[in-house]
């Protein structure tokens, strides 16, 4: 049988009765949008992270741009982030008419090089978005210090880092706001799409609630330009029943990562590094092959081991962002990583036997 980089069917088999019961409960409630299931899940997520409150939205992308809007970002403002991220990080900035400004990443952990941030700040900078890529947190204490020095806000992009820790603090609990994705592949995935933004700032939460619903505070009366972005009741109910299992699933991911680490040492692959200040959630287990990444992937696929690349192209060299004026060579670490990285199969329901098969085949083809 093929071994895929991700699969949800075993999880569904395990939770099927509970999921169907939750869906039936929603359908019988008479309320499909902005009901008690959504409110419950928002409170549970806020409690899990230890922050003030959450606002459920339609996707992780929406969570970013609504959080930015609630933080006051407007057209023409600059938002600092990194080029080795998913397109949504940048498209969310551009949805507001703001301008993405990139800094390079560190060679050892793929994360924002905080030492480069201060030089990228201009009078138009309003927010910094650290992307907690692959499930590990950016070094936030020095980044928050830079933000305080310049009067800037920090919006954590936690699409891949739910359940990760930074110095024993939950990812998403440190910045002025945080965004999360519940795309099905995530460590806490919906059975569709969904997202949430969270903040300790009650005014940010209040504005976000209005912005997700056309800028309304009273029905049919708009107070400000807004959007249509609501986490539906079905997805909220499913996410709520899965949330208590999250820590156990992360421990299973970490156990799989430990097996990979031990077995693949000396294999010719560069393995991921967990920083001393972090607890990695191993949303993905990313390795590097210096010279023949695509050849390795092709040989693995022929043996029914199907991996993924996150991401083949840094944002700044894509045609869709050519208007930003960047050129190849400006962010050499991100560009070099994009040619080398790939992700091994990683999800909690992988069996030990499948993990060993991945290891054996990978060592053979490398």
């Amino acid at each position: 049988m093929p071994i895929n980089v991700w699969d949800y069917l075993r999880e569904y088999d395990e939770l099927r009765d509970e999921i169907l019961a939750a869906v039936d409960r929603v359908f019988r409630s008479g309320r499909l949008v902005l009901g008690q299931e959504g409110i419950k899940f928002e409170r549970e997520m806020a409690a899990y992270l230890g922050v003030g409150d959450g606002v459920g939205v339609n996707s992780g992308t929406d969570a970013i741009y609504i959080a930015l809007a609630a933080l006051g970002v407007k057209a023409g403002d600059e938002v600092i982030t990194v080029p080795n991220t998913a397109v949504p990080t940048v498209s969310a900035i551009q949805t507001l008419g703001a301008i993405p400004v990139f800094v390079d990443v560190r060679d050892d952990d793929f994360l924002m090089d905080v030492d480069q941030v201060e030089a990228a700040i201009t009078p138009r900078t309003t927010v910094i978005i650290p992307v907690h890529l692959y499930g590990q947190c950016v070094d936030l204490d020095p980044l928050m210090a830079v933000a305080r020095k310049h009067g800037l806000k920090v919006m954590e992009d936690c699409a891949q880092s739910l359940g990760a820790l930074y110095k024993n603090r939950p990812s998403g609990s440190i910045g002025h706001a945080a965004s999360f994705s519940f795309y099905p592949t995530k460590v806490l995935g919906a059975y569709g799409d969904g997202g949430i933004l969270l903040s300790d700032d009650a005014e940010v939460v209040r504005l976000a609630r209005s912005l997700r619903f056309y800028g309304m505070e009273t029905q049919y009366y708009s107070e400000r330009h807004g959007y249509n972005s609501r986490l539906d009741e079905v997805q909220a109910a499913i996410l709520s029943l899965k949330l208590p299992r999250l820590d156990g699933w992360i421990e299973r991911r970490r156990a799989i990562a430990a097996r990979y680490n031990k077995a693949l040492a000396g294999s010719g692959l560069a393995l991921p590094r967990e920083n001393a200040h972090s607890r990695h959630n191993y949303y993905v287990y990313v390795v590097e092959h210096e010279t023949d990444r695509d050849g390795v992937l092709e040989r693995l696929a022929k043996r029914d081991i199907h991996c993924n690349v996150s991401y083949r192209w840094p944002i700044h060299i894509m045609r869709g962002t050519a208007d930003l004026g960047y050129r190849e060579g400006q962010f050499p670490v991100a560009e070099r990583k994009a040619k080398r990285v790939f992700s091994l199969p990683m999800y909690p329901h992988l069996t030990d036997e499948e993990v060993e098969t991945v290891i054996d085949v990978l060592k053979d083809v490398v």
Side-chain angles (χ1 to χ4, degrees):
M1 293 291 291
I3 300 175
N4 295 313
V5 71
W6 171 80
D7 189 285
Y8 74 93
L9 292 175
R10 292 174 190 166
E11 175 194 282
Y12 180 64
D13 287 341
E14 177 188 334
L15 302 180
R16 181 177 183 273
D17 290 345
E18 292 177 72
I19 289 170
L20 295 181
V23 172
D24 186 65
R25 183 176 71 246
V26 171
F27 288 169
R28 291 178 181 276
S29 74
R31 188 67 179 264
L32 301 178
V33 178
L34 295 182
Q36 291 304 308
E37 298 286 352
I39 292 169
K40 176 175 178 286
F41 178 66
E42 289 171 346
R43 291 173 177 170
E44 289 170 346
M45 275 290 294
Y48 180 79
L49 295 178
V51 300
D53 208 347
V55 181
V57 294
N58 186 60
S59 68
T61 311
D62 290 6
I64 297 173
Y65 75 71
I66 291 174
L68 292 176
L71 289 169
V73 174
K74 58 187 183 304
D77 287 351
E78 293 179 352
V79 177
I80 297 172
T81 190
V82 291
N84 70 327
T85 183
V87 170
T89 307
V90 174
S91 64
I93 297 168
Q94 293 179 302
T95 295
L96 296 170
I99 302 165
V101 174
F102 298 122
V103 298
D104 210 347
V105 296
R106 292 161 32 129
D107 189 69
D108 56 357
D109 61 10
F110 314 98
L111 300 173
M112 174 181 275
D113 188 342
V114 175
D115 292 340
Q116 297 186 25
V117 169
E118 195 158 20
I121 295 171
T122 76
R124 293 199 292 176
T125 307
T126 54
V127 172
I128 305 167
I129 300 181
V131 179
H132 301 318
L133 197 69
Y134 302 153
Q136 183 166 217
C137 294
V138 171
D139 194 1
L140 285 169
D141 282 350
L143 184 65
M144 295 299 294
V146 169
R148 285 192 296 271
K149 177 180 176 181
H150 293 273
L152 305 176
K153 302 293 186 181
V154 172
M155 205 295 294
E156 297 180 64
D157 183 342
C158 304
Q160 301 183 4
S161 64
L162 178 57
L165 300 177
Y166 174 77
K167 297 183 178 178
N168 292 318
R169 292 173 286 174
S171 173
S173 69
I174 298 165
H176 300 90
S179 63
F180 292 83
S181 169
F182 303 122
Y183 186 73
T185 62
K186 298 298 192 285
V187 292
L188 182 65
Y191 280 51
D193 218 332
I196 196 169
L197 62 103
L198 298 107
S199 180
D200 275 325
D201 188 325
E203 180 63 10
V204 169
V205 171
R206 186 188 72 81
L207 283 172
R209 289 199 192 286
S210 172
L211 289 167
R212 76 170 174 185
F213 192 43
Y214 311 107
M216 294 180 184
E217 294 180 12
T218 301
Q219 193 171 25
Y220 301 128
Y221 188 93
S222 175
E223 298 285 351
R224 56 191 57 84
H225 172 68
Y227 316 94
N228 175 20
S229 182
R230 296 161 291 193
L231 179 65
D232 73 71
E233 290 287 277
V234 167
Q235 300 304 336
I238 292 171
L239 291 165
S240 190
L241 75 86
K242 291 176 66 175
L243 182 58
R245 296 170 166 86
L246 179 63
D247 287 339
W249 286 340
I250 290 173
E251 287 307 313
R252 173 59 181 164
R253 288 175 178 272
R254 290 177 57 80
I256 293 170
R259 295 185 76 158
Y260 281 151
N261 288 341
K262 182 177 181 180
L264 296 174
S267 65
L269 298 170
L271 306 182
R273 190 194 82 169
E274 183 173 45
N275 292 320
H277 57 63
S278 291
R279 181 182 80 154
H280 206 309
N281 74 9
Y282 289 102
Y283 165 61
V284 284
Y285 185 93
V286 176
V287 300
E288 300 176 67
H289 193 279
E290 186 172 342
T291 59
D292 190 29
R293 185 266 312 277
D294 290 344
V296 171
L297 289 174
E298 183 178 342
R299 294 191 291 277
L300 285 170
K302 287 179 178 177
R303 304 274 291 273
D304 264 344
I305 308 294
H306 301 283
C307 298
N308 188 41
V309 179
S310 302
Y311 302 95
R312 287 183 178 274
W313 302 278
I315 302 291
H316 69 286
I317 62 173
M318 294 183 182
R319 285 189 295 275
T321 52
D323 60 312
L324 297 177
Y326 290 103
R327 65 185 185 280
E328 194 165 353
Q330 283 188 265
F331 305 105
V333 180
E335 292 171 27
R336 183 171 65 252
K337 296 291 186 185
K339 297 173 182 176
R340 298 179 177 181
V341 297
F342 64 100
S343 306
L344 303 187
M346 172 60 78
Y347 56 97
H349 291 77
L350 275 176
T351 67
D352 290 345
E353 292 75 17
E354 287 172 325
V355 173
E356 290 305 316
T357 297
V358 171
I359 289 166
D360 291 344
V361 173
L362 184 58
K363 291 167 75 171
D364 187 41
V365 303
V366 171

